[in-house]
Amino acid sequence: MTQTSNDESRHPFLKGLSKHRGAPPTVVVIFGASGDLTARKLIPAIFNLGVDNLLPGDFHLIGYGRKPIPDEEFRSLMDEAIKQHSRRPLSQEIWERVRQHVSYHAGGYDDAEAFASLAAKIDGIEQDLGREVQRLFYVSTPPSVFSAIVSNLGASGMAKAHQHTKFASKVIIEKPFGHDLESARELNAAIKNVFEESQVYRIDHYLGKETVQDLLVQRFANSIFEPIWNREYVDCVQITVAESLGVGSRGGYYDTSGALRDMIQNHTMQLVALTAMEPPVSLDPESIRDEKVKVLKGIQPLSLDSDGGDVVRARYESGMINGEPVKGYMEEEGIPEDSTTESYAALRLSINNWRWKGVPFYIRSGKRMARRASEIAIQFRRPPGILFSEGNKFDVAANTMVISIQPDEGVTLVMNSKIPGLETRTQPVKMHFRYATTFGSNTPEAYERLILDAMIGDSTLFIRGDETEASWKLITPILEHWQQSGEAGMAGYAAGSWGPRAAERLLADNGHEWRRSG
Ligand code: BG6
């Protein structure tokens, strides 16, 4: 098939893409199309890419799911999803051009015939267009059917369509990618039977966040931080991914997961890797991912000793959030009476390499914490207390660089300053950079960036197979230990607090304290 038409003449609203980003004509198939993620994130992201002229001229979207839904009803559901969840209001004019190429395909995930008819449908789209299209499969289903979908994509021939050309098929796999090391390995093996690694896009939506991408820019596009970004100057690193929300209506899912699987294994470990990695030799995906894997592999196995170990888990109890009383974890809908799932986990990591040996990385994530705040705090060593100290009275604070991932995205530098007056007294002061002030606040959502990157074949912001396994390798012994321990060692914290007292010990052992984020 030859390329016979020009994107921009067919769809003037799409002008710009082929010049700037060059995604080839694409059919996106979303497995799990009637799910929550599709409505909340995927469809609004696709709409906003349309608004920004970043969809290819020939763009088709097929929703796939078990429930039969007529095409027009599916389109109306997608209209509603945009109205409710898009960062920009629904523009009928722009959406209509995408909408007319939206359809729905009903079928089971292990139903070979339904996959064969899906393949025929996409072949039909190619024939109608008179040109080749790239197939982009978005697997947004419960993980239990990931393998069945991948194997049917292979058996139906869709995975191999136009292989080794720019139209090669791609597959985006949502989290959770496995539930432990063994299942992640099995899933990787199932994928490898069908796809080449270059076709696989394992998603971690934190990598699509502007502030997370900016971490590499802050580190490697400035010359003032890198010389002090090491064990000589850094005292500790604290990474917090806190949410004020509880498990809400997701109790059934969440209880099979817990904070360690849901947030630490993926999002938080990615923040560790980006904070600690060496400068990559270039910005190509493999160079960056090679450096991240090295960090993950350099993290020492954790001590699981329930008294002095590196790990703390806890569950929220009833408390107050924004002045409103909220339930404890065990009272939430869908949580079994004998649940031993944690809603909070904190870890003390040691990275055994030249740069970080001896610098503790404290990481924590929890639901129903005091407020939504994700941040990376680099705490530098204190200056020697010989000048501005009188006993401990005027002791100076440690300099801290805080990269605020969300909300209130920005970077803050905490430094010491003289309090005006006749005495020489010091006080920590803050220098702020705020994205919203400098760049305005309507920045793209993570999913916009990630879907666009997958369409243009850039896997930098996706997780490579060995990366996910390295992270599971670290986390799995903790999960196994907790499973064996049942309730033993489970701490509690009041909803609306900064987590359990037990987690203070992790830092106190080294004379550190958790920051009160914000
Ligand atoms: C998801 C988790 O991956 O990330 C959720 O499954 C969590 O439990 C969410 O709430 C947090 O994402 P964000 O972008 O709101 O920080």
Side-chain angles (χ1 to χ4, degrees), residues 452-472:
L452 179 62
D453 279 1
M455 276 197 296
I456 62 171
D458 182 345
S459 54
T460 312
L461 301 177
F462 294 83
I463 314 290
R464 208 166 58 188
D466 54 346
E467 219 177 318
T468 193
E469 288 184 19
S471 173
W472 277 120

Side-chain angles (χ1 to χ4, degrees), residues 25 93 227 275 277 290 293 322 328 333 348 451 463 481 507 514:
E93 194 204 338
T275 305
M277 68 188 252
D290 285 348
V293 173
N322 297 330
E333 190 191 320
R348 177 173 56 201
I451 292 173
I463 314 290
H481 176 73
L507 285 74
W514 288 111

Side-chain angles (χ1 to χ4, degrees), residues 76-143:
S76 308
L77 289 172
M78 299 304 104
D79 298 345
E80 210 40 50
I82 296 170
K83 281 185 204 148
Q84 275 189 32
H85 302 291
S86 166
R87 70 185 165 95
R88 293 189 284 214
L90 177 65
S91 149
Q92 291 294 355
E93 194 204 338
I94 289 171
W95 178 235
E96 189 48 42
R97 293 174 186 144
V98 179
R99 194 183 189 277
Q100 57 181 314
H101 299 300
V102 173
S103 60
Y104 186 83
H105 195 83
Y109 297 118
D110 50 4
D111 177 352
E113 272 178 36
F115 276 76
S117 58
L118 174 67
K121 190 180 222 172
I122 302 177
D123 291 345
I125 293 174
E126 272 190 336
Q127 273 152 20
D128 291 348
L129 292 175
R131 62 189 304 189
E132 292 171 339
V133 299
Q134 144 176 272
R135 289 147 180 79
L136 175 61
F137 302 105
Y138 199 119
V139 182
S140 168
T141 59

Side-chain angles (χ1 to χ4, degrees), residues 298-434:
I299 300 174
Q300 293 300 283
L302 290 110
S303 157
L304 304 176
D305 189 326
S306 52
D307 284 336
D310 296 322
V311 182
V312 169
R313 64 173 166 156
R315 194 159 57 200
Y316 60 83
E317 289 156 3
S318 58
M320 302 288 280
I321 298 272
N322 297 330
E324 298 286 327
V326 295
K327 293 183 205 164
Y329 181 80
M330 295 305 280
E331 286 83 62
E332 296 276 18
E333 190 191 320
I335 306 299
E337 269 173 29
D338 57 353
S339 165
T340 57
T341 301
E342 77 292 352
S343 62
Y344 170 101
L347 273 54
R348 177 173 56 201
L349 307 178
S350 316
I351 305 175
N352 198 16
N353 66 16
W354 191 267
R355 184 188 285 261
W356 294 117
K357 178 84 186 166
V359 179
F361 277 61
Y362 305 111
I363 66 177
R364 61 178 168 172
S365 180
K367 298 220 180 269
R368 283 285 189 235
M369 291 179 66
R371 61 183 188 85
R372 181 169 182 250
S374 296
E375 62 165 46
I376 300 167
I378 315 291
Q379 190 172 310
F380 294 93
R381 288 186 193 282
R382 281 170 200 272
I386 47 174
L387 292 179
F388 301 106
S389 303
E390 193 178 276
N392 280 334
K393 204 167 152 211
F394 303 141
D395 214 359
V396 292
N399 294 132
T400 307
M401 178 173 173
V402 184
I403 299 162
S404 173
I405 304 293
Q406 67 186 20
D408 199 16
E409 292 82 355
V411 180
T412 299
L413 199 57
V414 181
M415 48 208 259
N416 292 298
S417 186
K418 179 180 177 301
I419 304 172
L422 301 180
E423 271 186 297
T424 301
R425 301 186 57 188
T426 65
Q427 178 180 310
V429 294
K430 292 179 176 176
M431 247 166 65
H432 289 300
F433 149 62
R434 289 279 160 267

Side-chain angles (χ1 to χ4, degrees), residues 175 205-206 209 243 250 262-263 267 367 372 406:
K175 70 176 274 265
H205 77 278
Y206 267 55
K209 291 184 189 277
E243 297 182 276
R250 296 167 76 224
D262 189 50
M263 299 295 284
H267 309 322
K367 298 220 180 269
R372 181 169 182 250
Q406 67 186 20

